[in-house]
Amino acid sequence: MTVFTKSQLYLASVFIKIYYRDRQSLVFSILFPIIFMGIFLFSDGEPNRTNIGLVNQSQNELSVQFSESLKQKEIFFVQEGAEDALKESLIAGDIIALIIIPKFFNDSNTGKLQLLLDASQVRQVDSIKDSIESTLLSIEREIRGNEPMFKLELKDIKSRPHRYIDFLLPGILAYMLMNLCIAGSGYNIVEYRRRGILKRLFVTPIQPKDFIISIVLARMFIVLIQLSVILGLAIGLLKINIMGGLLSLFSVIVLGAFIFLCIGFFLGSLAKTQEAIQPIALLFTFPQLILSGIFFPISSLPDIMQPLAHALPLSVIASATRSIANDGANLAGLNFNFLGILIWMLISFVIATKFFDWHKVNS
Amino acid sequence: MPIISAKNLIKKYPNPEKSGETFFAVKDVNLNIEEGEIFGLLGPNGAGKTTTLEMLEGLNNFDEGSIEIDGIDVKVNPYELKKIIGVQLQSNEYFDRLNLSDLLNLFAALYSTSIKPEEILSNVQLENKISALPDELSGGQRQRFSIACALVHNPKILFLDEPTTGLDPQAKRNLWQLAKTLNENGMTIVITTHNMEEAEFLCDRIAIMDQGSIIAQDTPQQLIADHAAEIPERRLQGNLEDVFLNLTGLGLRE
């Protein structure tokens, strides 16, 4: 490779060596994605059934038929038993609602079902009531043999996986990329400067851009490995579908790493102390977590915020990874986001080199 | 033709105690250092020694004046300068988890050269520490290693900033011997120190700085003859401290 000088490549290899010899952070950086995926694995399977109780005081043919139908509904886990015991379960929070079928339960008296709820669980009451009502309606139809008038059929226009996690993961990947990079360059540089290591380096004829390029190369390599592990686990364990090419995805990750590493350098130059880098970095990362469409689409933000939100560095990277992962876009098809990435690369490199400060700060 | 020629150097800072006023860290400093000599820069704490040294090393900007080192204008071409000088800094911290061999190879790479770490280390008597980490070295060994790092590219001029501060007498003598040997092989050495014995033992010529200015500049022998409060009985022995105190006063410095 002639793009990089020998000094730059050597320095990059030294940074990788330093990182590789740091066993503790090596262990944690592998442990982290595993734990991270574990959380998703357990929290984002099929939604849990809602526990409800059923007291059948009637025990006639109709009520038994009703209770059997209710038990077959997938959204409920029905626990049938005595009223007193189930009321205690309701108060203890083991069941969310209690349906009581009265003694006199027949065709003309079905409306007299009693629904007991714990009002302190207010947040869930409405949705529980709705789903119980619609369930009752469908049971009524089954029993009476009526055909429903309307039926909703879910069909995705993009014919892609429509699970929330498929939306979430590319954004989370971009967010992790940002955090890993800023920790990798910003935090390090403050520490190196404080200890006078940077000064020692700049006694030699290397220039700030050599140093920045070296750390960027080294960290890029490290981040690529970290994200590959995460991505591998996501595909393997969470069955995430990557519709587009992995090459395009990794290209975006590499370019994103460049942007965030350079921004990390810039933030590290702004921060004069180890204490200052934390809030400064948070000030940069946290608003983007909200504004960059990681957990919900940017289109759900107020109109006035949207142009700004779309232009944020995390937005262009997250949108790019999502287009590739969910919609099967390739690098050339990213248009706006690809342009955004190029512009941010330029901005970040300029601010990283221009503001770079290796002088030891005398306290 | 001196190898280092500094003319009318001035370095100003805003005065931290009185706003609006400027504080002269270095005030109208002129230095001529000949090739092959050991030149000492002496002065109390805060006199401007390190600032002057850093300006000569191309690490610190100066507001006025000019520095020419081996035909290189330092202000115009600091990166060319850095190729021919070796620098030992007061603080000598290195990247974690790299041993002496790794670090020497790293510094060599930064000068786009390659070296045999064991050869460099044997010059400073550290050849048996090649796989040690800097943290595992004693104070004297650390200073010698710091000099070793400054030697990877075989510089023309070596800058030493208070190299023996905090060392025991044995380590101090050992380091002096190292400096002498390097000098005998043709290296020009510029050294800052508070240690008068060191200046007298090592230096061909000395400049004494106080409050940003050079207040005396000559050979140790001549300075003693000119400024020692009493002419010593045994001529030119051990009284440079008298010169120093006579010129800079007895007040404590922070």
Side-chain angles (χ1 to χ4, degrees):
Chain A
M1 271 211 274
T2 51
V3 188
F4 303 111
T5 67
K6 248 178 101 178
S7 315
Q8 289 168 355
L9 292 175
Y10 193 89
L11 193 52
S13 76
V14 167
F15 286 126
I16 292 172
K17 195 188 269 182
I18 293 171
Y19 181 79
Y20 175 72
R21 287 182 184 172
D22 186 356
R23 297 295 143 138
Q24 192 183 17
S25 77
L26 206 61
V27 166
F28 275 95
S29 62
I30 291 170
L31 211 59
F32 174 69
I34 293 174
I35 292 170
F36 185 79
M37 285 301 142
I39 292 168
F40 275 107
L41 194 62
F42 288 111
S43 66
D44 202 81
E46 287 296 307
N48 277 338
R49 290 172 168 207
T50 308
N51 289 326
I52 59 170
L54 181 70
V55 180
N56 191 348
Q57 295 175 340
S58 169
Q59 296 292 357
N60 63 14
E61 193 188 336
L62 183 64
S63 72
V64 170
Q65 193 185 355
F66 174 83
S67 122
E68 290 308 314
S69 305
L70 190 65
K71 282 174 188 167
Q72 277 164 20
K73 295 291 166 191
E74 275 174 9
I75 59 167
F76 295 120
F77 181 77
V78 182
Q79 207 179 330
E80 197 174 336
E83 188 175 346
D84 289 346
L86 286 171
K87 270 182 176 163
E88 271 174 35
S89 299
L90 183 64
I91 290 164
D94 296 335
I95 57 176
I96 301 282
L98 180 58
I99 297 173
I100 299 174
I101 302 174
K103 263 202 171 86
F104 304 103
F105 186 65
N106 53 46
D107 280 350
S108 59
N109 216 6
T110 48
K112 292 281 172 64
L113 279 173
Q114 238 188 323
L115 180 63
L116 267 70
L117 291 163
D118 180 357
S120 65
Q121 309 218 23
V122 158
R123 197 175 63 83
Q124 297 190 359
V125 167
D126 282 343
S127 62
I128 294 289
K129 189 166 164 262
D130 282 350
S131 59
I132 288 178
E133 266 179 353
S134 67
T135 305
L136 295 184
L137 202 67
S138 73
I139 292 173
E140 184 187 323
R141 287 200 195 103
E142 279 168 32
I143 292 172
R144 290 195 170 153
N146 289 350
E147 278 297 310
M149 245 178 104
F150 304 106
K151 201 172 179 195
L152 281 178
E153 194 181 347
L154 200 64
K155 209 166 192 179
D156 190 346
I157 193 154
K158 284 177 173 170
S159 68
R160 60 175 192 201
H162 51 259
R163 293 183 304 165
Y164 178 54
I165 190 156
D166 288 302
F167 170 85
L168 195 59
L169 191 101
I172 291 284
L173 215 56
Y175 180 69
M176 287 170 75
L177 175 72
M178 176 174 74
N179 278 331
L180 288 171
C181 288
I182 288 185
S185 61
Y187 286 59
N188 276 343
I189 197 177
V190 176
E191 173 71 359
Y192 290 161
R193 189 175 53 221
R194 186 184 65 77
R195 290 169 58 191
I197 296 173
L198 287 187
K199 186 173 179 181
R200 184 64 192 84
L201 280 190
F202 285 98
V203 162
T204 73
I206 69 157
Q207 301 191 15
K209 73 167 166 44
D210 298 320
F211 178 72
I212 291 172
I213 287 170
S214 307
I215 282 209
V216 167
L217 281 178
R219 280 284 154 183
M220 239 179 210
F221 177 78
I222 294 163
V223 165
L224 267 184
I225 292 177
Q226 289 171 321
L227 287 192
S228 301
V229 173
I230 295 171
L231 200 62
L233 289 173
I235 294 171
L237 293 179
L238 300 179
K239 310 281 182 256
I240 297 291
N241 281 313
I242 306 293
M243 309 293 286
L246 279 180
L247 195 67
S248 296
L249 191 64
F250 274 100
S251 305
V252 170
I253 289 173
V254 166
L255 301 181
F258 179 89
I259 292 172
F260 293 125
L261 285 166
C262 285
I263 291 175
F265 264 105
F266 169 66
L267 299 176
S269 292
L270 287 186
K272 296 300 173 209
T273 63
Q274 200 71 20
E275 285 76 31
I277 181 69
Q278 204 117 7
I280 289 176
L282 208 61
L283 200 65
F284 174 76
T285 56
F286 191 70
Q288 294 198 82
L289 179 63
I290 314 272
L291 294 176
S292 292
I294 302 301
F295 292 111
F296 46 84
I298 292 177
S299 55
S300 63
L301 291 172
D303 285 348
I304 195 166
M305 308 276 285
Q306 287 187 24
L308 172 80
H310 276 294
L312 292 170
L314 184 59
S315 300
V316 294
I317 298 295
S319 307
T321 52
R322 195 173 297 122
S323 305
I324 292 167
N326 291 0
D327 305 340
N330 60 23
L331 218 48
L334 294 174
N335 296 326
F336 171 80
N337 288 323
F338 192 60
L339 185 70
I341 289 173
L342 293 181
I343 291 172
W344 273 112
M345 284 176 73
L346 188 71
I347 294 175
S348 61
F349 187 68
V350 168
I351 59 174
T353 47
K354 190 165 166 53
F355 290 91
F356 182 73
D357 181 12
W358 52 263
H359 287 88
K360 194 172 170 180
V361 182
N362 296 313
S363 50
Chain B
M1 183 69 188
I3 193 165
I4 296 177
S5 165
K7 291 195 179 71
N8 308 102
L9 290 184
I10 291 179
K11 175 81 181 175
K12 297 181 278 201
Y13 294 108
N15 192 333
E17 279 155 26
K18 290 178 198 156
S19 62
E21 286 184 25
T22 48
F23 162 78
F24 287 85
V26 171
K27 199 160 54 188
D28 211 21
V29 161
N30 288 282
L31 283 172
N32 285 310
I33 299 170
E34 299 296 330
E35 186 157 11
E37 74 178 344
I38 299 184
F39 189 91
L41 211 48
L42 278 65
N45 286 334
K49 301 186 300 289
T50 299
T51 310
T52 305
L53 206 64
E54 287 185 354
M55 293 192 295
L56 296 179
E57 293 159 354
L59 294 180
N60 211 331
N61 296 325
F62 41 96
D63 298 306
E64 284 170 45
S66 66
I67 303 175
E68 195 175 300
I69 296 182
D70 199 32
I72 298 165
D73 186 329
V74 171
K75 203 158 211 171
V76 176
N77 218 338
Y79 294 106
E80 278 307 305
L81 167 77
K82 287 173 182 175
K83 290 178 188 168
I84 61 155
I85 63 169
V87 176
Q88 175 260 327
L89 297 169
Q90 269 186 43
S91 77
N92 45 13
E93 290 238 31
Y94 305 93
F95 292 118
D96 297 323
R97 295 179 288 279
L98 294 183
N99 64 31
L100 304 197
S101 170
D102 294 329
L103 286 165
L104 288 173
N105 279 324
L106 167 64
F107 283 114
L110 297 178
Y111 290 100
S112 308
T113 178
S114 57
I115 47 134
K116 291 201 176 74
E118 53 273 28
E119 277 178 18
I120 304 267
L121 286 174
S122 80
N123 287 340
V124 297
Q125 298 160 39
L126 287 173
E127 58 273 34
N128 55 349
K129 295 282 179 186
I130 191 159
S131 305
L133 298 174
D135 283 347
E136 297 160 359
L137 300 179
S138 71
Q141 288 171 334
R142 265 182 98 100
Q143 288 293 20
R144 294 211 300 277
F145 177 65
S146 180
I147 292 175
C149 291
L151 297 176
V152 291
H153 57 304
N154 197 20
K156 275 191 169 176
I157 308 164
L158 180 64
F159 290 92
L160 304 175
D161 196 1
E162 300 184 11
T164 56
T165 301
L167 298 190
D168 65 28
Q170 286 82 359
K172 193 161 69 182
R173 294 276 162 175
N174 180 288
L175 205 110
W176 291 353
Q177 207 48 58
L178 174 62
K180 277 273 190 215
T181 309
L182 290 169
N183 179 248
E184 277 158 17
N185 293 328
M187 204 172 279
T188 308
I189 297 177
V190 182
I191 182 171
T192 69
T193 182
H194 306 284
N195 185 326
M196 298 306 130
E197 198 191 352
E198 177 167 297
E200 204 171 341
F201 180 85
L202 281 179
C203 298
D204 299 310
R205 284 194 309 133
I206 289 167
I208 298 180
M209 285 189 82
D210 197 17
Q211 295 173 351
S213 302
I214 292 179
I215 52 177
Q217 183 170 190
D218 216 321
T219 62
Q221 292 75 13
Q222 194 57 47
L223 285 170
I224 291 169
D226 291 350
H227 296 285
E230 291 169 29
I231 302 293
E233 280 177 26
R234 277 199 305 134
R235 207 175 142 257
L236 312 181
Q237 280 298 311
N239 268 331
L240 196 56
E241 189 145 322
D242 296 332
V243 174
F244 184 80
L245 290 174
N246 202 12
L247 287 168
T248 61
L250 288 165
L252 285 178
R253 312 298 172 88
E254 287 305 321

